[in-house]
Every structure is written in structure tokens, then in C-alpha cells.
Amino acid sequence: MGIRVGFKRATFVVLDKDGKATTDVFVVEGKANKGGTKEATISGISPESVKVYASNVAYYVSAKGTGDVKAEISILDVPEEMTEEVLGRKKHTDGFTLIGERTEAPYVAALLESEDASGQPVLFALLKGKMSAGDVSLKTSEDKPAEPDDEKLTMECIANNDGETIAYGIGSEIAAKLKTYAFPPATPPAG
């Protein structure tokens, strides 16, 4: 996967019941009032290895698939509309947001973009998962300039309809193809 420089952009797309992209698309790339990416860590890419013993020796190593794939993504100033959609929160008719027993996050796909040392795009796609938010904390102002805290979103990932959990690629030629695979377009109705 080589050297990665920076964290340019994160795109989140809500998936429909068939695993296809909806029109709920959120791009976080450092534009005013749209949030900015800070850090992302993807864990569980490799499965846990299990040694199988026979004839009193380690005979075989079982290590197929992935582990428990999870991404922790830090974003400064997460847009409220995105928070509501990817976390399944509902807006009350009086304008405030509700979180409760009916709150259920939809499945989403995420595309995390960086660059390699030569400036080529490096893309990591988390193909299907549900998002959750970190804790909320409030603290007093101090006698120094305030620095805003980033927010952490966690994506618990599962396999898409093809049985794949993560896709990644390097280079401009691969970028468009990977985006289409990560965010499969809805099939237009027949007729």
C-alpha cells in the first residue's frame, strides 16, 4: 500500500436495501461548513491466524478473509445533515434532532482518499457498514484561544453483496472504477 501522504477527502454514501448508492452523498474535504478530514484508522484488515496441529506439530495455518473490519474516522466540524443521515437520527418537526429507541443507522459505503509520495491518488473504500458516533463532551473555555475538537465516527464493516469488505487502489485510472464499485448506482426501473 506504500507511503500515504495526507488525508484529502472522505465520501460517505447511504446504501439502499439492495446495497446500491442512494442520492444521500456527503463529501468531507475541508470546505467551509462542510467539515474537514483529520485522521482515519482501518483495523481488522487481516484475519486472525489459527494454527492447526497434527502429528504433534503445527501442520496448517488457517487465515482466510478479513478480521473484524472497523474504521475510526476523525472529522472536524461534521455537517449536521450528514450526522443525521449516516447515524439514522431523526429531525423533529420543531427543528431539533432526536436519538432514541427508533434510531437505526442505515448501511453506508465510505471512500477515504489520500496520495502517495508521487502525488498519485490512493483510495480506500469501505464497502458496507454502519456508522456510530463517539461520546459528546462539553468543557469550559479557558484563558487561551479555543481550538475546536474533532469528532470521531466509527464504521463497523461487513461484506457487500460480492462478499468483499474493502477495496483499495492507487492511481488516477483506477480511481473512477473504484468509486463506481464502492458506490454502485441504483438500477433504473424497467419500462
Side-chain angles (χ1 to χ4, degrees), residues 90-143:
K90 301 298 179 214
K91 186 74 95 174
H92 188 274
T93 55
D94 289 332
F96 50 84
T97 302
L98 299 168
I99 305 169
E101 64 183 35
R102 292 184 305 268
T103 302
E104 183 177 358
Y107 282 110
V108 299
L111 186 67
L112 312 176
E113 299 179 53
S114 183
E115 294 180 342
D116 69 9
S118 66
Q120 286 292 309
V122 176
L123 298 100
F124 290 88
L126 303 161
L127 302 172
K128 186 176 183 180
K130 290 197 176 192
M131 306 287 294
S132 62
D135 297 339
V136 174
S137 65
L138 307 171
K139 57 185 171 184
T140 190
S141 298
E142 296 179 10
D143 191 19

Side-chain angles (χ1 to χ4, degrees), residues 42-120:
I42 304 170
S43 61
I45 294 173
S46 296
E48 280 193 39
S49 298
V50 176
K51 289 182 184 177
V52 178
Y53 288 83
S55 297
N56 297 329
V57 296
Y59 184 79
Y60 173 77
V61 176
S62 175
K64 185 176 180 181
T66 64
D68 180 13
V69 177
K70 180 188 329 186
E72 291 187 7
I73 304 164
S74 296
I75 297 174
L76 185 63
D77 192 22
V78 178
E80 187 61 28
E81 180 185 353
M82 177 183 146
T83 300
E84 290 170 0
E85 287 296 320
V86 302
L87 298 176
R89 297 174 177 175
K90 301 298 179 214
K91 186 74 95 174
H92 188 274
T93 55
D94 289 332
F96 50 84
T97 302
L98 299 168
I99 305 169
E101 64 183 35
R102 292 184 305 268
T103 302
E104 183 177 358
Y107 282 110
V108 299
L111 186 67
L112 312 176
E113 299 179 53
S114 183
E115 294 180 342
D116 69 9
S118 66
Q120 286 292 309

